[in-house]
């Protein structure tokens, strides 16, 4: 897969040499993983607390492999996780078919390097397809909690059912992760995360979950501490330990509404300063997520778009809506054909992928609203310039290409807007009578926006002005999906409150997409 991106139009990504030059020191090369790794090892590591305070996780599963992750951090909210050694630490790992580890099928040893704040990413290979496994780590005398994961079915294998949940936007100070507490009770094959894993601001909230550090994030150390804070949440940890995750990001992993190499929130910040900040954020994201070692960022470049195939049933095309996009503009300029959301190489990769052999269902897992969404009543218009409405030519061209290529049953999965939506993707959004060519399922937030409440007249205006929008709901929660060869059922699972712990989950609405019939129908 070719990796690259746009700054504006056809510009290329920043090279390693250019980044080291603009960041101004060989120290930067080491900080961003471009220099030699620590060679000396800690033979008998000892820890001042539980080294697995951030739990375990798995993800990016293939038919014969899966990534397993942990990070040694006995005091997670301190710099370097409270690790006193700056040596690499040997970490043993085991993968078994049973929770008691009587049948160990793979095992090995890796190093937790101080350059990566002692995070471990193991790409476990040689596994059987469509099989549940258990895994654990051992550093010194300390054994980690047990995680459970599952490989993908073999290529082309007949799959009768696949269950997954998708979620996004988990602002830590604003609410408890009641949705994850309930998600842990679901029977899922995977979790798809669509962005805003952390928030970069200094918000403290009033729940006793205030951001650490209590400031806007810029430095690598601050991004690391903040991400570690989020991962201390026990409900989030449990869902990571129970299911493999497929993840992408949105904006708050770096800075609100950033676009490629620009931050509108800090106009005094130079391009060079922002790229160093982006490199810090991307580095922390990779260090804390179950991503393959090969995806370690080089400076401000992290190749995140990728494809996962689950037998003959389901393809996921995981998109990156931030790293390569053109800067946001006002309504008059949104039809400029040079504007891009995906960047040239990512768009070319996606177009080629959906035009080739695909599974029965084809899901674009991405972060921002795809369908047209006019917010004002009457003849005037008002669109979000941060969503695909700000990149109209590319959005419409991609929609038309997927249709012409014949990729069966396209479904777009979206986060970002802290609300549940169901949309028919029309051949012409301005003509309600045009053909429905795909479906968009938009999931609400885990906690961002607080408890959430319907917006009454505002939502009624959206429904009236955008007849392709079938459903709007503003509770917090996640979307549970059950995919079969005959249909796709999306259950909008919601909780009533996030400002106190323990809120139970309920299904607010269910929608069904039938094989060969784009558009969702209320169940």
């Amino acid at each position: 897969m070719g990796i690259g991106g746009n700054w504006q139009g056809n510009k290329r990504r920043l090279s390693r040499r250019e980044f080291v030059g603009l960041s101004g020191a060989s120290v930067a090369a080491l900080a961003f993983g471009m220099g030699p790794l620590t060679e000396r090892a800690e033979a008998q590591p000892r820890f001042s607390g539980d080294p697995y305070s951030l739990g375990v996780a798995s993800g990016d599963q293939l038919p014969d492999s899966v990534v397993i992750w942990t990070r040694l951090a006995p005091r997670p909210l301190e710099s370097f996780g409270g690790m006193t050694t700056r040596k690499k630490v040997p970490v043993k790992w085991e993968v078994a078919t049973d929770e008691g580890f009587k049948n160990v099928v793979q095992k090995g040893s890796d190093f937790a390097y101080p350059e990566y704040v002692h995070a471990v990413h193991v790409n476990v290979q040689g596994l059987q397809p469509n099989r549940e496994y258990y895994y654990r780590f051992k550093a010194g005398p300390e054994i980690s909690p047990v995680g459970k994961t599952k490989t993908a079915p073999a290529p082309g294998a007949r799959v009768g059912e696949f269950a997954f949940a998708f979620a996004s936007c988990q602002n830590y100070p604003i609410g408890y992760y009641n949705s994850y507490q309930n998600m842990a009770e679901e029977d899922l094959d995977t979790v798809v995360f669509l962005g805003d894993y952390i928030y970069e601001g200094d918000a403290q909230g009033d729940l006793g979950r205030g951001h650490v550090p209590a400031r806007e994030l810029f430095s690598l150390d601050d991004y690391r501490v903040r991400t570690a804070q989020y991962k201390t949440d026990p409900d989030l940890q449990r869902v990571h330990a129970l299911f493999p995750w497929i993840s992408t990001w949105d904006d708050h992993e770096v800075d609100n509404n950033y676009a490629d190499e620009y931050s509108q929130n800090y106009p005094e910040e130079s391009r060079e300063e922002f790229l160093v900040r982006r490199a810090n954020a991307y580095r922390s994201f990779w260090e804390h997520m179950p991503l393959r070692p090969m995806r370690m960022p080089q400076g401000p470049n992290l190749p995140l778009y990728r494809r996962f195939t689950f037998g003959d049933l389901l393809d996921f095309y995981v998109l990156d809506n931030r790293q390569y996009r053109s800067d946001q503009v006002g309504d008059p300029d949104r039809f400029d054909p040079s504007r891009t959301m995906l960047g040239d190489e990512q768009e070319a990769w996606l177009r080629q992928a959906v035009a080739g052999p695909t599974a029965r269902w084809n899901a674009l897992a991405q972060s921002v609203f795809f369908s047209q969404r006019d917010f004002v009543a009457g003849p005037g218009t008002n669109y979000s310039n941060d969503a695909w409405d700000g990149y109209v030519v590319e959005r419409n061209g991609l929609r038309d290409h997927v249709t012409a290529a014949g990729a069966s049953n396209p479904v777009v999965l979206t986060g970002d807007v802290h609300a549940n939506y169901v949309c028919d993707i029309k051949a012409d959004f301005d003509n309600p009578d045009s053909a429905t060519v795909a479906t968009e399922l938009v999931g609400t937030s885990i906690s961002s926006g607080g408890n959430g409440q319907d917006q009454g007249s505002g939502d009624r205006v959206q429904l009236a002005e955008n007849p392709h929008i079938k459903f709007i709901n503003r509770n917090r929660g996640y979307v549970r999906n059950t995919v079969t060869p005959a249909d796709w059922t999306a259950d909008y699972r919601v909780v009533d409150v996030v400002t106190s712990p323990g809120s139970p989950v309920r299904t607010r609405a269910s929608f069904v997409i039938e094989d060969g019939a784009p558009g969702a129908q209320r169940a």
Side-chain angles (χ1 to χ4, degrees):
M1 174 175 71
I3 302 301
N6 273 32
W7 295 348
Q8 288 291 333
N10 297 316
K11 291 185 180 178
R12 51 171 175 68
R13 62 179 176 157
L14 194 73
S15 72
R16 167 185 167 176
R17 182 182 299 275
E18 288 170 321
F19 177 71
V20 172
L22 67 84
S23 54
S26 59
V27 174
L30 181 61
F32 299 114
M34 298 171 186
L37 295 174
T38 298
E39 293 185 0
R40 297 183 63 190
E42 191 70 60
Q44 295 180 321
R46 292 291 184 267
F47 307 102
S48 60
D50 177 12
Y52 306 106
S53 63
L54 304 182
V56 298
S58 71
D60 279 16
Q61 62 271 40
L62 300 175
D64 62 350
S65 70
V66 68
V67 176
I68 59 174
W69 172 95
T70 194
R71 180 190 160 197
L72 306 179
R75 296 192 300 277
L77 302 188
E78 296 182 10
S79 180
F80 277 87
M83 291 286 286
T84 56
T85 182
R86 292 299 183 265
K87 299 177 182 179
K88 62 183 181 182
V89 177
V91 179
K92 297 179 180 179
W93 55 268
E94 293 180 317
V95 175
T97 59
D98 64 299
E99 196 169 3
F101 288 83
K102 294 180 180 178
N103 183 33
V104 174
V105 296
Q106 295 287 353
K107 62 181 179 180
S109 182
D110 209 331
F111 286 107
Y113 287 94
E115 287 85 356
Y116 310 146
V117 282
H118 294 101
V120 180
H121 300 74
V122 181
N123 182 25
V124 182
Q125 298 179 311
L127 303 177
Q128 295 299 309
N130 203 28
R131 184 87 180 255
E132 285 189 347
Y133 290 98
Y134 297 86
Y135 62 94
R136 63 185 179 183
F137 301 89
K138 184 179 181 182
E142 304 294 337
I143 298 176
S144 75
V146 174
K148 185 173 73 170
T149 191
K150 189 176 183 180
T151 52
R158 183 167 295 179
V159 179
E161 182 176 295
F162 187 86
F164 73 98
F166 67 86
S168 63
C169 304
Q170 50 188 36
N171 197 322
Y172 188 88
I174 304 303
Y176 293 93
Y177 292 170
N178 295 328
S179 295
Y180 284 136
Q181 182 181 39
N182 290 285
M183 189 188 293
E185 304 302 320
E186 306 276 12
D187 184 11
L188 304 173
D189 293 296
T190 196
V191 171
V192 178
F193 191 80
L194 300 177
D196 292 345
Y197 194 89
I198 66 166
Y199 280 71
E200 80 288 6
D202 58 0
Q204 296 299 296
D206 54 10
L207 303 177
R209 290 165 62 92
H211 272 146
V212 178
R215 57 180 174 265
E216 182 88 7
L217 303 181
F218 291 92
S219 72
L220 178 57
D221 191 59
D222 281 359
Y223 277 106
R224 286 167 162 171
V225 171
R226 178 69 56 81
T227 311
Q229 179 189 26
Y230 276 58
K231 295 187 79 72
T232 61
D233 185 274
D235 295 316
L236 176 60
Q237 281 194 20
R238 188 177 178 209
V239 175
H240 267 301
L242 284 172
F243 311 115
W245 281 43
I246 296 171
S247 305
T248 189
W249 52 34
D250 193 19
D251 52 342
H252 288 287
E253 286 88 354
V254 181
D255 182 48
N256 183 43
N257 287 351
Y258 85 96
D260 191 4
E261 60 182 13
Y262 304 104
S263 168
Q264 296 177 339
N265 302 309
Y266 293 89
E268 74 284 358
E269 191 175 42
S270 70
R271 163 181 169 268
E272 290 79 9
E273 289 170 327
F274 180 74
L275 284 172
V276 171
R277 181 186 184 188
R278 195 180 90 173
N280 293 337
Y282 284 8
R283 178 59 173 269
S284 179
F285 183 86
W286 175 83
E287 288 172 341
H288 289 89
M289 299 299 286
L291 298 169
R292 280 189 159 70
M294 63 172 285
R295 297 197 179 276
M296 184 186 72
Q298 293 296 310
N301 304 311
L302 192 160
L304 195 60
Y305 61 88
R306 56 215 194 277
R307 177 181 182 175
F308 297 95
T309 298
F310 294 87
D312 67 348
L313 185 64
L314 178 61
D315 269 316
F316 284 113
Y317 309 89
V318 183
L319 305 185
D320 176 351
N321 295 130
R322 289 291 166 185
Q323 188 171 181
Y324 313 116
R325 69 153 71 187
S326 304
D327 203 4
Q328 294 89 341
V329 295
D331 277 5
D333 298 315
R334 65 193 189 95
F335 290 95
D336 182 346
S338 70
R339 294 179 47 69
T340 181
M341 174 75 76
L342 301 179
D344 291 346
E345 290 191 32
Q346 182 177 199
E347 184 184 6
W349 162 80
L350 178 59
R351 282 173 170 259
Q352 182 178 19
V354 298
T358 69
R360 183 181 297 265
W361 297 88
N362 290 273
L364 275 60
Q366 52 100 58
S367 58
V368 297
F369 216 96
F370 188 86
S371 299
Q372 183 168 291
R373 192 167 51 136
D374 181 8
F375 292 97
V376 298
T381 58
N382 182 31
Y383 302 97
S384 169
N385 68 351
D386 191 55
W388 281 91
D389 274 333
Y391 306 78
V392 175
V393 173
E394 187 177 74
R395 189 264 313 277
N396 293 350
L398 180 60
R399 173 202 62 198
D400 296 345
H401 174 76
V402 171
T403 303
S408 60
N409 300 318
V411 179
V412 178
L413 308 178
T414 300
D416 182 52
V417 295
H418 310 168
N420 291 313
Y421 285 78
V422 175
C423 307
D424 289 345
I425 297 177
K426 308 296 287 186
D428 179 357
F429 282 115
D430 293 321
N431 179 8
D433 296 326
S434 66
T436 297
V437 297
T439 311
E440 182 173 18
L441 305 174
V442 182
T444 186
S445 66
I446 292 293
S447 61
S448 303
N451 289 332
Q453 60 182 6
D454 290 342
Q455 294 186 355
S457 61
D459 288 344
R460 287 193 292 271
V461 166
Q462 283 194 57
L463 291 168
E465 291 296 312
N466 308 278
H468 52 276
I469 296 178
K470 302 297 187 67
F471 173 70
I472 305 176
N473 163 260
R474 298 185 183 276
N475 290 104
R476 304 294 161 238
Y478 55 94
V479 183
R480 180 183 64 195
N481 303 268
T482 305
V483 185
T484 74
D487 54 41
W488 175 315
T489 301
D491 299 316
Y492 283 79
R493 304 279 278 165
V494 301
V495 297
D496 288 326
V497 298
V498 296
T499 50
S500 59
S503 182
V505 72
R506 58 190 171 90
T507 299
R508 175 64 177 79
S510 295
F511 288 82
V512 176
I513 311 165
E514 295 182 354
D515 175 38
Q521 307 301 318
R522 187 80 172 254

